[in-house]
Amino acid sequence: MRIEDLKAGQEIRYSGKLIVMRDQAQRRLKEIVDRGEEPPVDLRGQIVFYAGPAKTPSGKPVGAIGPTTSARMDDYLEMLFKLGAIATIGKGKRSKKAIEACKKWKRVYFVTPSGTAAALSKRVKKSRVLAFEDLGPEAIYEIEVEDFPLIVAIDSNGNTIFKE
Amino acid sequence: MINKHVISEKIKKAIVEANIKINPEVEEIIERYEGPFSDIIKENYRVSKEEKLPLCQDTGIVEFFVFIGHEVKLEEPIEETLNRAVGEVYSEYPFRYSVVSDPLFERINTGTNTPAIVHIFQVKGKSLEIRFLVKGGGSENLTVLRMMTPTSDVEKVKEFVIEHIKEHGAKACPPLHVGIGIGGTADKALLLSKLALTKSFKERNKDPKYAGLEKELEKELNFLGIGFQGLGKGITVYSVHIEHFPTHIATLPVAVSVDCYLCRRGKVTFED
């Protein structure tokens, strides 16, 4: 399925890779990009999941994991799209600026249920740290998910499920 | 004298339960919800219970409200006991450390989820009551204070609360528990709004005027239709609680705090 075909409100189940990062990692990423240096992760064709997992219990691929508030990171969205990300996943309504960015770059924003970290962790098969390990729960991770529940909250035409 | 280990053990158990077991008042309401993601929301508390995983990855900053009798003797300052309990729980369980040391410059994780936030109130008698909230960052970011003009009426206060929830409610994992503090000084109003969140959904303000306002706000906030997860289906708020306090003739502080849909809280009591 192509990103451009997704419509606001559509429910899908996603299986594949996600790049997990949030506030501080994006801030650091921006500093690197602004200095003209090579980013430590390749975001081309990737989906960015705004999350910060809890500790991994022994013998499990990942600890409790779930979305954090996306709107806090609206200022970094344009950068993610420029670096090649095709979608973001988080929770909650986003700014007009974020909607405009989705429209301009033909990208989408998904929501996944918040406060359901135990259930979502069951859908994560693998996890590894990619960069910024010193940030702890705010490091950049790559996870592999199966049947991950998503709803298209902003589609590539800028349509949104949230009320104004 | 109340033994520090006795306090610590009971508090630890209560914090673990708040993070892992669904609040029964919340469960009752979620069971009736049938909108988007309802299957996962219900599956979540079954998984967390079976696997001892936290309900939410944001296992919060723990905020304590300590009501200590004036005749109670302790072995050490209560804040020390509580911080040790939090540190132990968060190290022993697969909970996230979400506390950073310096808020502005070096946001370095303390690696213990401490310090916790501790508010102490002295009361009469020989008992020690400790209430707490496991406060996630998403819901905490919705806390707001407005110093209204002293001539503002009930409608103005309602308008402020409704506008705030309408604009930001979806970000904090609704349905929300809404706590409102009215009166006192700025800081007192904020504290009262947090204390309001420690109440059971079924409690009502003892003053019928405030109880009436709680009910009206509940009704009007639910009319916003934000719904579970902000997706428009189901209720928007569980309950609204108001705590009020006398204030200065020139002021009318109004504070709003919210708790996310999990409402992770607890209460533990001891007798000396």
Side-chain angles (χ1 to χ4, degrees):
Chain A
M1 181 179 278
R2 293 187 321 148
I3 282 289
E4 289 87 346
D5 298 334
L6 295 168
K7 297 273 171 277
Q10 202 175 331
E11 278 192 63
I12 63 161
R13 294 286 159 121
Y14 173 79
S15 298
K17 281 182 182 161
L18 298 175
I19 304 293
V20 178
M21 61 171 151
R22 54 182 290 157
D23 312 61
Q24 296 303 328
Q26 292 185 40
R27 178 178 162 180
R28 209 185 271 185
L29 192 61
K30 187 167 187 306
E31 284 164 9
I32 292 171
V33 172
D34 285 351
R35 284 198 302 266
E37 292 166 20
E38 196 62 26
V41 285
D42 185 359
L43 290 181
R44 283 173 297 177
Q46 303 285 359
I47 298 173
V48 172
F49 182 19
Y50 300 134
K55 273 178 282 177
T56 306
S58 57
K60 300 221 166 112
V62 75
I65 189 165
T68 191
T69 312
S70 310
R72 279 201 319 265
M73 291 163 274
D74 281 352
D75 285 345
Y76 301 110
L77 188 60
E78 189 92 22
M79 169 189 73
L80 296 183
F81 290 157
K82 264 187 205 159
L83 291 174
I86 56 166
T88 54
I89 303 174
K91 70 166 165 121
K93 193 160 100 170
R94 307 194 69 163
S95 64
K96 283 201 176 71
K97 192 172 145 188
I99 296 173
E100 285 307 312
C102 287
K103 209 169 147 181
K104 178 180 155 197
W105 292 83
K106 289 277 165 202
R107 301 296 186 230
V108 306
Y109 165 57
F110 297 106
V111 288
T112 193
S114 54
T116 62
L120 290 183
S121 75
K122 300 286 276 183
R123 290 165 168 76
V124 179
K125 302 298 156 195
K126 277 184 198 164
S127 156
R128 67 185 177 111
V129 175
L130 289 187
F132 307 156
E133 194 163 8
D134 61 299
L135 290 179
E138 297 197 274
I140 302 181
Y141 295 81
E142 179 191 84
I143 60 170
E144 232 175 283
V145 299
E146 216 174 271
D147 287 329
F148 211 72
L150 302 174
I151 290 178
V152 181
I154 304 172
D155 65 26
S156 60
N157 289 317
N159 299 311
T160 168
I161 56 168
F162 295 114
K163 287 183 199 162
E164 279 309 297
Chain B
M1 172 112 72
I2 308 176
N3 182 289
K4 61 183 179 188
H5 299 293
V6 171
I7 299 173
S8 184
E9 285 313 304
K10 263 185 136 171
I11 285 290
K12 280 173 70 178
K13 190 165 172 264
I15 295 172
V16 171
E17 280 193 1
N19 270 300
I20 285 177
K21 275 193 198 161
I22 191 80
N23 174 333
E25 287 194 310
V26 167
E27 183 179 6
E28 211 183 302
I29 296 162
I30 297 177
E31 282 297 319
R32 293 198 296 268
Y33 170 65
E34 285 175 346
F37 295 141
S38 58
D39 52 339
I40 295 144
I41 292 170
K42 290 171 194 173
E43 180 192 321
N44 189 52
Y45 49 79
R46 292 176 197 131
V47 174
S48 66
K49 196 175 156 193
E50 279 163 27
E51 310 213 1
K52 289 197 164 32
L53 279 171
L55 292 154
C56 178
Q57 77 286 349
D58 185 351
T59 47
I61 186 166
V62 188
E63 192 159 5
F64 292 101
F65 306 90
V66 180
F67 298 86
I68 185 163
H70 74 299
E71 290 178 78
V72 170
K73 268 201 88 176
L74 298 173
E75 287 179 86
E76 63 182 3
I78 191 69
E79 201 159 347
E80 281 177 30
T81 312
L82 295 175
N83 274 324
R84 202 169 47 246
V86 169
E88 284 173 14
V89 168
Y90 280 75
S91 320
E92 289 163 19
Y93 284 80
F95 296 172
R96 197 177 77 189
Y97 303 129
S98 302
V99 177
V100 294
S101 54
D102 186 285
L104 184 59
F105 294 99
E106 300 290 327
R107 290 180 65 97
I108 296 169
N109 203 301
T110 61
T112 53
N113 221 48
T114 63
I117 307 295
V118 182
H119 303 292
I120 299 169
F121 309 91
Q122 194 155 49
V123 295
K124 250 182 139 49
K126 288 185 165 186
S127 64
L128 169 66
E129 180 185 302
I130 301 171
R131 297 185 215 168
F132 66 87
L133 300 169
V134 172
K135 205 65 175 62
S139 70
E140 185 58 15
N141 280 338
L142 252 68
T143 310
V144 65
L145 168 76
R146 184 171 294 176
M147 301 304 284
M148 303 190 78
T149 56
T151 52
S152 298
D153 57 11
V154 177
E155 286 310 310
K156 282 265 173 4
V157 171
K158 275 168 70 176
E159 214 173 273
F160 163 52
V161 176
I162 293 166
E163 275 307 308
H164 180 63
I165 301 297
K166 188 180 171 187
E167 184 56 30
H168 303 286
K171 287 182 222 160
C173 302
L176 306 172
H177 188 191
V178 180
I180 301 171
I182 304 179
T185 47
D187 47 332
K188 180 78 176 179
L190 278 168
L191 195 50
L192 291 174
S193 73
K194 285 287 178 67
L195 270 174
L197 296 180
T198 65
K199 288 185 163 176
S200 145
F201 296 162
K202 291 175 188 86
E203 281 180 75
R204 275 284 157 251
N205 193 298
K206 286 190 183 72
D207 182 325
K209 292 196 292 295
Y210 285 95
L213 182 55
E214 287 175 345
K215 280 190 230 163
E216 274 174 49
L217 275 168
E218 246 170 60
K219 201 173 151 196
E220 292 187 38
L221 290 170
N222 273 318
F223 195 68
L224 293 175
I226 294 170
F228 274 68
Q229 302 275 329
L231 297 171
K233 295 273 169 17
I235 56 168
T236 298
V237 298
Y238 292 125
S239 187
V240 176
H241 283 110
I242 302 171
E243 294 278 357
H244 61 284
F245 198 84
T247 191
H248 187 284
I249 49 168
T251 68
L252 176 53
V254 180
V256 182
S257 288
V258 304
D259 214 344
C260 70
Y261 94 98
L262 290 169
C263 292
R264 294 163 297 176
R265 53 179 145 89
K267 186 166 92 177
V268 179
T269 51
F270 307 87
E271 287 297 323
D272 193 356

